[in-house]
Amino acid sequence: MAEYSKLESSSASAKIALILSVIAVLVSAVGTCTSLQQTKIQREQKSASVWPHVQMQRLEKIEGQNLIYSLRLVNKGIGPALMGEIALKYNEELANPANFSDLLNERHPELDAKVVSYYFAGGTVLAPEEEVDLCVISIPFTEEKEELIYRVIREMRDAFCYCSVYRECWQVNYPANYTPGSACEQTIF
């Protein structure tokens, strides 16, 4: 009888030890999962703390007898934007900001458009809230040319790519089509 009592006591101890071991493994697994989740959240917070958001603004105003049309890059995010390739396009032809008016005049000589100022932003850093006039064009404005001028403006396209300091990249094609990407080296159009 004493042997049976020892055997029963040993079996009960083994069951308790097994239950405690299973509980320890479960607690350890929960702790590991919690740690992994916290790491993921910290990584996302770190990335969001330097998130850029670059927009292309299209501005126009009449100055004297000229329509002044500007393409302006603005970083509305909270982190710097590493600017990649920037392209301007009209009638399926690409041009850089310095010679964009040449392309417009080639298609429509009556426009007599002139680039007043330009900025090659590709490869630069755009700080938060920084604004840069990428291309400013002056076009002599008359009632006869008004319809043509606004049609040409509507047909202009722009595209650019930018990255955060963590190399999260976005490609933007006018009108405001943001596409996440892996890098800014790809062809834009």
Side-chain angles (χ1 to χ4, degrees), residues 9 18 26-27 36-38 46 69 78 80 103 127 129 148 150 169 178 188:
S9 173
L18 178 64
L26 289 174
V27 167
L36 290 172
Q37 185 65 22
Q38 284 178 334
K46 186 171 134 182
Y69 184 76
I78 56 175
L103 174 60
E129 298 303 320
L148 172 64
Y150 286 112
C169 300
Y178 286 80
I188 290 180

Side-chain angles (χ1 to χ4, degrees), residues 144-160:
E144 297 82 37
K145 291 196 299 188
E146 182 175 7
E147 185 179 323
L148 172 64
I149 290 171
Y150 286 112
R151 182 172 51 82
V152 167
I153 287 172
R154 280 191 311 274
E155 293 172 358
M156 289 180 188
R157 297 289 176 255
D158 55 73
F160 58 94

Side-chain angles (χ1 to χ4, degrees), residues 12-26:
S13 294
K15 286 180 183 177
I16 290 172
L18 178 64
I19 290 171
L20 289 175
S21 296
V22 169
I23 289 172
V25 169
L26 289 174

